[in-house]
Amino acid sequence: MRTTVGIIGAGPAGLFLSHLLHLRGIDSVVLERRDRGHCEARQRAGVVEHGPAAALRAAGVGDRLDREGSVHEGIELRFGGRGHRIDFRALTGRDVVLYAQTEIVKDLIARRLADGGDLRFEAEATAIEDVAEDGAARPRIRFTRGGREEVLDCEHVVACDGFHGIGRAALPADRVRTFAKTYPFSWLGILADAAPACEELVYARHERGFALYSMRSAEVSRLYLQVPNGTDPAEWPHERIWAELDARLAVDGADARPNRGPITDVGVTPMRSFVTEPMRHGRLLLAGDAAHIVPPTGAKGLNLALHDVILLSEALHAWHGGDPGPLDRYSETALRRVWRAEHFSYWMTTLLHPDPEASPFEDRLQLSHLEHIAASRAAAGSLAENYTGIPEP
């Protein structure tokens, strides 16, 4: 079996890359170890930056994003019993769209299949090899499907297979550098069948810990609480969750409690930052979580993945047209945005989460910085610029 670009992983990165390559006349095969139903049900982040939203529209897969997504022109920072709105549109002229990653995956799968795309579910990639052919080394993916091993010969392999996939592990260990940070807290996240009580996301810094008020739709709320690492969700009965959300989201002189409803999902997410350099070795390229992880505070994980594959589609098109330059620069170019997003996510995380190991001095510095953002148009503008997405140069 042979294709031009072998893509491992049918998340938004792998699927969007396959679609973008199709639009440029480049064939691909997507291998995904899970079944289609699993891919279309995975709950992930749902904030789409201004640039990736425009790219989805331009690629013809933005109809449902525009019809069902919720445009957000700002967020609220809540601390000290007060709320402070950061107006993205006024500060940057841009906005973001709240649209679940699950729905993006559904849209892309449907479009690829309608276009005759080769998506192979329940096909687990087991090895990436170099095979000598006509005096050159070409990559090959070994995978198992239906209990049988098969091989896929490619011009290039793009690993969009996440943090635990085989793509990053296939890079030569002596040529790779990794950078990592773990945080002394996690997020307890819930989905609740309750209409959101606010129109925009609320990021709350409270002495008891951080809370985030988000939403999935007009009928479903997505909420998070800062909890210690190693927390067992069983330690948090539903009444305790609601009481803690009420306390952390409180506003002086107003009823700011979230609407309550049946909790349909509870999970704990550790907070970590991770970067692999380089994101390319020969004809093996990494994109998305295979190359970098960010804490979810800055809403950057999905967006970095989409930016990676937008770059890759352009670079692979140039390579097949005889210009290797953009592909040679892919890692360097992608990493500039990655490190900007890593810093912003780190900054948002350390700004809004009381550190259980911090001194009273550091707590006061956090509050002073938040007051500065609330009072300074320049400081608020920097937050807005990074949150909505730094434009391409």
Side-chain angles (χ1 to χ4, degrees), residues 338-369:
V338 167
W339 279 112
R340 175 84 300 275
E342 289 283 351
H343 178 262
F344 177 68
S345 299
Y346 164 84
W347 176 77
M348 283 279 284
T349 301
T350 54
L351 176 68
L352 291 163
H353 293 72
D355 187 336
E357 302 169 2
S359 66
F361 175 81
E362 291 166 308
D363 284 340
R364 293 300 295 270
L365 287 180
Q366 267 188 329
L367 290 169
S368 174
H369 198 159

Side-chain angles (χ1 to χ4, degrees), residues 45-288:
V47 176
V48 186
E49 290 176 358
H50 189 84
L56 289 166
R57 295 183 188 106
V61 286
D63 289 351
R64 220 158 57 89
L65 172 91
D66 287 333
R67 188 170 62 250
E68 301 177 18
S70 174
V71 175
H72 284 213
E73 297 181 1
I75 58 171
E76 180 183 334
L77 297 182
R78 196 173 288 182
F79 59 94
R82 293 167 294 145
H84 307 269
R85 185 170 185 266
I86 307 298
D87 189 331
F88 296 159
R89 185 66 64 82
L91 292 164
T92 68
R94 301 195 300 275
D95 50 41
V96 297
V97 181
L98 211 66
Y99 188 61
Q101 178 174 315
T102 307
E103 304 309 309
I104 294 175
V105 168
K106 290 177 183 176
D107 295 343
L108 288 168
I109 288 175
R111 181 59 183 269
R112 289 304 297 124
L113 293 177
D115 289 341
D118 195 338
L119 307 184
R120 303 192 177 212
F121 295 101
E122 299 180 85
E124 182 171 6
T126 57
I128 301 169
E129 305 170 341
D130 280 332
V131 178
E133 185 178 293
D134 298 329
R138 297 179 184 272
R140 167 179 289 174
I141 305 171
R142 292 190 178 274
F143 66 99
T144 58
R145 193 182 190 207
R148 186 179 68 182
E149 183 179 74
E150 300 183 49
V151 295
L152 175 64
D153 290 309
C154 322
E155 296 284 343
H156 292 91
V157 172
V158 181
C160 305
D161 53 347
F163 185 77
H164 299 291
I166 68 167
R168 188 175 67 255
L171 296 175
D174 61 344
R175 300 189 184 184
V176 173
R177 298 181 68 193
T178 59
F179 306 83
K181 175 178 176 55
T182 57
Y183 297 82
F185 40 76
S186 299
W187 277 9
L188 177 79
I190 68 164
L191 276 173
D193 289 337
C198 52
E199 295 183 356
E200 296 176 336
L201 275 68
V202 177
Y203 289 79
R205 193 270 188 201
H206 191 274
E207 61 184 11
R208 298 170 68 97
F210 169 78
L212 172 60
Y213 200 142
S214 180
M215 56 285 293
R216 279 291 179 264
S217 70
E219 296 82 29
V220 178
S221 294
R222 182 69 160 154
L223 303 109
Y224 299 92
L225 289 167
Q226 176 184 346
V227 294
N229 286 338
T231 290
D232 182 350
E235 301 169 3
W236 284 81
H238 293 182
E239 185 56 40
R240 182 187 179 191
I241 292 172
W242 289 119
E244 197 65 24
L245 286 165
D246 288 349
R248 297 189 194 184
L249 292 166
V251 174
D252 294 342
D255 183 359
R257 293 174 297 179
N259 293 327
R260 297 191 179 191
I263 293 177
T264 59
D265 184 72
V266 181
V268 173
T269 302
M271 308 289 279
R272 60 187 175 185
S273 300
F274 181 88
V275 180
T276 293
E277 292 187 359
M279 292 170 58
R280 177 198 180 194
H281 177 72
R283 298 194 183 191
L284 170 61
L285 304 116
L286 307 184

